[in-house]
């Protein structure tokens, strides 16, 4: 056999070995990921040794950390932040997380200020404004953007899983299970996020809460109309009677049609929403990356007398554009 054929055979064997190794690695990763998804967050926390009460407080955040007496605008922002933390399924206590988000920009600002002084650079109003803006962007805005992205992704998964959860619930009722047992079936059959949320409902009912109140609290936490329709259906059926399985089966069909219409609207508005995301996130990311990579690009011109008013006008225009774009892409179905 010639040397050329030996080289070709060797390269073929190497290619086959790499292909088999990659296939084995991907198969292992997929199986471990599916096994991890089979256990929802509530069961995982309980398996780590937490009690049912601690798990409930972490996942539903029943004790609000928003102080009373705030102005209506600040109170609304704070409660919206709490709902975002619930949707992002962050298990850190709300007060501690809010404190970190508030203190991170301040700590980062003073660290940068010390570095500026240690480097022997003079302090000016423009450089202080730059350091403050960078600290807020890196310590506050980027973490909030990440949490908002995670919360939106979890909320979309919740909306997609809810009709399937209703089907499982209906099959449990038709199999002869009572309502509480059918709900408990969802806590072990459904993955996150809906498995953990129905698990919280079961825990609240176990501790003595009314089923309707527990379901209404879950709907309020996630602010989803599908859950509110589910709660209304249960309430009407409990007062007037009727075949609950048939009612919920019809509700599942309505929710699926509504979700299909919502997906069509999202597809038609995808260009506008992607433009809004890019115009919102790109300036913050570009400013942060450029300041980290080449801080002199901003610091060299920060002593100019027109820098501070120009930079403030730029920030004001960014805020106006952010609010305008949010209103333009906020579509209701």
């Amino acid at each position: 056999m010639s040397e050329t054929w030996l080289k070709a055979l060797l390269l073929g064997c190497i290619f086959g070995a790499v292909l088999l190794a990659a296939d084995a690695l991907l198969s292992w990763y997929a199986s471990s990921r599916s096994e991890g998804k089979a256990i929802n967050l509530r069961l995982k926390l309980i398996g780590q040794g937490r009690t049912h009460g601690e798990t409930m407080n972490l996942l539903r955040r029943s004790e609000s950390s928003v102080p009373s007496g705030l102005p209506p605008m600040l109170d609304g922002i704070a409660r919206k932040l709490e709902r975002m933390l619930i949707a992002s399924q962050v298990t850190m206590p709300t007060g501690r997380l809010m404190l970190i988000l508030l203190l991170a920009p301040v700590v980062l600002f003073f660290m940068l200020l010390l570095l500026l002084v240690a480097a022997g650079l003079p302090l000016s109003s423009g450089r202080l404004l730059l350091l403050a803006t960078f600290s807020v962007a890196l310590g506050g805005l980027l973490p909030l953007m990440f949490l908002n992205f995670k919360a939106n992704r979890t909320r979309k998964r919740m909306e997609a899983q809810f009709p399937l959860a209703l089907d499982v619930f209906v099959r449990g009722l038709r199999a002869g299970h009572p309502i509480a047992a059918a709900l408990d079936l969802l806590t072990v059959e459904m993955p996150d996020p809906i498995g953990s949320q129905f698990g919280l409902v079961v825990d609240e009912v176990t501790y003595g809460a009314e089923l309707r109140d527990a379901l209404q609290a879950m709907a309020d936490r996630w602010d989803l109309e599908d859950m509110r329709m589910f709660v209304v259906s249960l309430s009407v059926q409990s007062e007037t009677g009727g075949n609950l399985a048939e009612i919920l089966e019809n509700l599942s069909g309505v929710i699926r049609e509504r979700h299909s219409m919502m997906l069509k609207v999202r597809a038609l508005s995808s260009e506008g929403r992607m433009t809004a995301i890019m115009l919102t996130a790109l300036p913050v990311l570009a400013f942060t990356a450029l300041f980290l990579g080449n801080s002199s690009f901003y610091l060299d011109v920060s002593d100019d007398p027109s820098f501070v008013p120009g930079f403030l006008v730029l920030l004001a225009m960014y805020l106006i554009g952010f609010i305008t774009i949010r209103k333009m892409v906020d579509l209701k179905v």
Side-chain angles (χ1 to χ4, degrees), residues 81-138:
L81 177 61
E82 271 199 329
R83 286 197 298 269
M84 182 177 68
L85 296 179
I86 293 173
S88 59
Q89 291 192 311
V90 177
T91 56
M92 185 182 296
T94 305
R96 186 187 306 171
L97 188 59
M98 286 184 174
L99 186 62
I100 291 175
L101 291 176
L102 290 175
L103 289 181
V106 179
V107 173
L108 186 59
F109 173 75
F110 282 105
M111 289 177 61
L112 292 174
L113 193 62
L114 290 175
L115 289 176
L116 198 66
V117 173
L121 298 175
L123 297 178
S124 62
S125 57
R127 291 182 178 180
L128 292 177
L129 180 61
L130 268 177
L131 294 182
T133 305
F134 174 75
S135 302
V136 172
L138 185 61

Side-chain angles (χ1 to χ4, degrees), residues 116 121 127 130-131 287 289-303 307:
L116 198 66
L121 298 175
R127 291 182 178 180
L130 268 177
L131 294 182
F287 171 73
L290 188 57
F291 195 90
L292 287 173
N294 186 17
S295 58
S296 60
F297 181 83
Y298 294 106
L299 294 176
D300 290 345
V301 298
S302 59
D303 294 330
F307 177 79

Side-chain angles (χ1 to χ4, degrees), residues 89-250:
Q89 291 192 311
V90 177
T91 56
M92 185 182 296
T94 305
R96 186 187 306 171
L97 188 59
M98 286 184 174
L99 186 62
I100 291 175
L101 291 176
L102 290 175
L103 289 181
V106 179
V107 173
L108 186 59
F109 173 75
F110 282 105
M111 289 177 61
L112 292 174
L113 193 62
L114 290 175
L115 289 176
L116 198 66
V117 173
L121 298 175
L123 297 178
S124 62
S125 57
R127 291 182 178 180
L128 292 177
L129 180 61
L130 268 177
L131 294 182
T133 305
F134 174 75
S135 302
V136 172
L138 185 61
L141 291 181
L142 290 181
L144 285 177
M145 285 182 179
F146 172 74
L147 289 175
N148 186 51
F149 169 76
K150 190 175 180 181
N152 289 334
R153 186 177 62 178
T154 307
R155 192 175 285 110
K156 290 175 185 177
R157 289 180 58 196
M158 192 84 167
E159 292 176 350
Q161 288 176 338
F162 194 70
L164 181 60
L166 285 182
D167 292 341
V168 175
F169 185 66
V170 168
R171 287 198 293 269
L173 292 177
R174 287 180 172 171
H177 295 290
I179 293 178
L183 285 176
D184 189 59
L185 185 65
L186 296 176
T187 65
V188 295
E189 295 292 334
M190 297 296 298
D192 270 341
I194 203 165
S196 295
Q197 296 304 314
F198 275 108
L200 294 179
V201 172
V202 172
D203 288 342
E204 291 179 8
V205 173
T206 303
Y207 281 112
E210 292 289 337
L211 176 61
R212 183 172 59 183
D213 296 337
L215 290 172
Q216 184 63 48
M218 181 179 69
D220 293 337
R221 283 196 302 270
W222 288 85
D223 194 23
L224 295 178
E225 296 299 329
D226 298 342
M227 289 186 178
R228 291 193 175 96
M229 289 191 291
F230 174 61
V231 175
V232 170
S233 300
L234 284 179
S235 301
V236 172
Q237 191 274 338
S238 63
E239 294 177 1
T240 62
N243 190 344
L244 181 59
E246 184 178 355
I247 294 173
L248 294 182
E249 187 175 13
N250 295 333

